[in-house]
Amino acid sequence: EDQVTQSPEALRLQEGESSSLNCSYTVSGLRGLFWYRQDPGKGPEFLFTLYSAGEEKEKERLKATLTKKESFLHITAPKPEDSATYLCAVQAPGETSGSRLTFGEGTQLTVNP
Amino acid sequence: NAGVMQNPRHLVRRRGQEARLRCSPMKGHSHVYWYRQLPEEGLKFMVYLQKENIIDESGMPKERFSAEFPKEGPSILRIQQVVRGDSAAYFCASSPLKLGEQYFGPGTRLTVT
């Protein structure tokens, strides 16, 4: 069974204090790893897709990287508006099940001014 | 391009009533997914549909839950005889392809009293 584990569960940073969120996964034949941002009371907002080890994607203060067993979401000089829950999800092979996303529990990030 | 639309945003039902949740995918997207987020838990896959077909319903409870995506109109997630444990946020997502990123709607928050 596919498993996704995110750490830490919660993270508090001061504005400008860079850090990383971790997503480790157990899946046979990764088809894609996805990062989402979720604000309270809203649906997940798509951030990045990574397909193969060594791949990196960047968007503003966020950078996502992928290895064979885990992914990191690096946050550089965060601002209070980066406060949200960050979700990691994987897609794995399967004729019918291959489209579903398996999510981790998320990391709740708070950035204090 | 309008995003994924869900209605209602909030739904209150008494135990034993029926709940109908609607989802209109993004324009050009023919793949629809339903996920459930229970309080203090992560997002869990329920069902994957294409027009007029259920592709994967392995995450959906066998009883009381059903889903459809007719040729015309929105996708519907139907919960019969709701119980308190059905209280959750239900999210719909859509994608243009079978694999790859999925785009989420704002969710329907179901409360069973």
Side-chain angles (χ1 to χ4, degrees):
Chain A
E1 184 178 322
D2 303 336
Q3 285 194 322
V4 180
T5 304
Q6 292 188 246
S7 62
E9 287 185 17
L11 180 63
R12 283 187 176 273
L13 299 174
Q14 288 299 121
E15 186 171 0
E17 180 186 2
S18 301
S19 187
S20 296
L21 281 54
N22 177 264
C23 169
S24 61
Y25 60 90
T26 304
V27 63
S28 299
L30 181 73
R31 285 237 173 114
L33 185 140
F34 306 86
W35 283 98
Y36 287 85
R37 168 190 172 132
Q38 187 175 24
D39 292 293
K42 296 190 176 180
E45 175 189 346
F46 170 71
L47 292 174
F48 303 110
T49 307
L50 300 165
Y51 290 106
S52 55
E55 191 175 358
E56 298 182 353
K57 294 269 179 75
E58 278 189 78
K59 180 181 178 181
E60 296 181 355
R61 295 177 292 282
L62 300 177
K63 179 179 175 181
T65 62
L66 181 65
T67 72
K68 287 188 177 179
K69 292 188 176 181
E70 56 191 356
S71 177
F72 292 93
L73 185 65
H74 307 277
I75 303 177
T76 303
K79 298 182 177 182
E81 53 261 43
D82 294 323
S83 297
T85 295
Y86 290 85
L87 302 171
C88 171
V90 298
Q91 240 174 16
E95 185 57 38
T96 57
S97 63
S99 295
R100 76 170 75 157
L101 295 179
T102 300
F103 281 88
E105 299 287 313
T107 293
Q108 187 174 347
L109 174 67
T110 304
V111 182
N112 296 313
Chain B
N1 188 7
V4 177
M5 299 175 67
Q6 290 188 248
N7 66 81
R9 295 291 308 276
H10 299 275
L11 183 61
V12 179
R13 285 286 179 265
R14 290 200 179 101
R15 279 179 296 171
Q17 291 185 321
E18 178 180 289
R20 282 190 179 229
L21 287 60
R22 293 175 183 76
C23 168
S24 296
M26 288 179 71
K27 187 176 180 181
H29 289 193
S30 59
H31 303 262
V32 167
Y33 315 82
W34 286 93
Y35 293 84
R36 178 165 68 173
Q37 191 169 40
L38 292 165
E40 306 305 321
E41 292 190 20
L43 277 160
K44 304 292 185 191
F45 168 81
M46 298 182 73
V47 62
Y48 161 40
L49 311 101
Q50 290 182 346
K51 283 287 186 180
E52 300 184 276
N53 288 301
I54 297 174
I55 308 300
D56 179 5
E57 58 182 345
S58 58
M60 200 152 67
K62 295 283 187 283
E63 297 179 356
R64 302 187 298 108
F65 286 73
S66 62
E68 62 177 11
F69 189 15
K71 187 176 180 181
E72 301 290 338
S75 175
I76 307 286
L77 179 67
R78 183 183 177 205
I79 311 172
Q80 295 178 290
Q81 299 175 331
V82 296
V83 300
R84 289 244 172 92
D86 296 332
S87 294
Y90 292 82
F91 292 97
C92 170
S94 72
S95 64
L97 302 171
K98 178 181 176 180
L99 296 177
E101 55 267 19
Q102 298 172 12
Y103 297 88
F104 284 77
T108 293
R109 276 141 192 89
L110 172 66
T111 302
V112 179
T113 62

